Amino acid sequence: MPTPDACPSVLFVCVHNAGRSQMAAAFLTRLAGDRVQVRSAGSAPADTVNPAVVEALAEVGIDISAEAPKVLTVEAVQASDVVITMGCGDTCPIFPGMRYLDWELPDPAGQGVEAVRPIRDEIEKRIRALADELAPRAQP
């Protein structure tokens, strides 16, 4: 885990980096701000972010229309304190001593916004718990 002076780093990984990992990164960025370093990547990145995911996040006030899928690198994994996989299977490199979480979530690929909303809402719920754990807000 990070030193007390450093902010934790989280990497979200799914196959295409076009849906689940993009939503998770956007929610954590919104909730934790600069208290957590956020990355996302895919083991086989798509050309663009899923339009239904862009629309579903816009409905809750998050604009990811300028985001692009990124390729998963060993360096990104090594630079992260927590790696959260979302269906990337065995393609995510595993390093001893690192914290890994696997979130089983439906894949929004090829789905309309109606199907993406419940996935979005579940990701937001999980991200709220993660943000509270990694970057609690200072109490007054």
Side-chain angles (χ1 to χ4, degrees), residues 44-110:
D47 293 329
T48 61
V49 175
N50 180 333
V53 167
V54 173
E55 183 179 344
L57 284 177
E59 291 176 351
V60 296
I62 299 175
D63 180 7
I64 65 163
S65 60
E67 293 297 323
K70 296 165 275 313
V71 68
L72 176 64
T73 65
V74 169
E75 294 78 21
V77 175
Q78 291 175 319
S80 301
D81 297 303
V82 180
V83 177
I84 299 176
T85 59
M86 304 171 168
C88 72
D90 296 333
T91 61
C92 186
I94 304 292
F95 295 97
M98 293 190 62
R99 180 177 175 197
Y100 292 87
L101 300 172
D102 185 38
W103 290 357
E104 290 190 28
L105 297 158
D107 188 348

Side-chain angles (χ1 to χ4, degrees), residues 5-16:
D5 295 337
C7 70
S9 175
V10 178
L11 172 64
F12 296 100
V13 181
C14 66
V15 175
H16 300 297

Side-chain angles (χ1 to χ4, degrees), residues 1 28 80:
M1 287 306 287
L28 187 55
S80 301

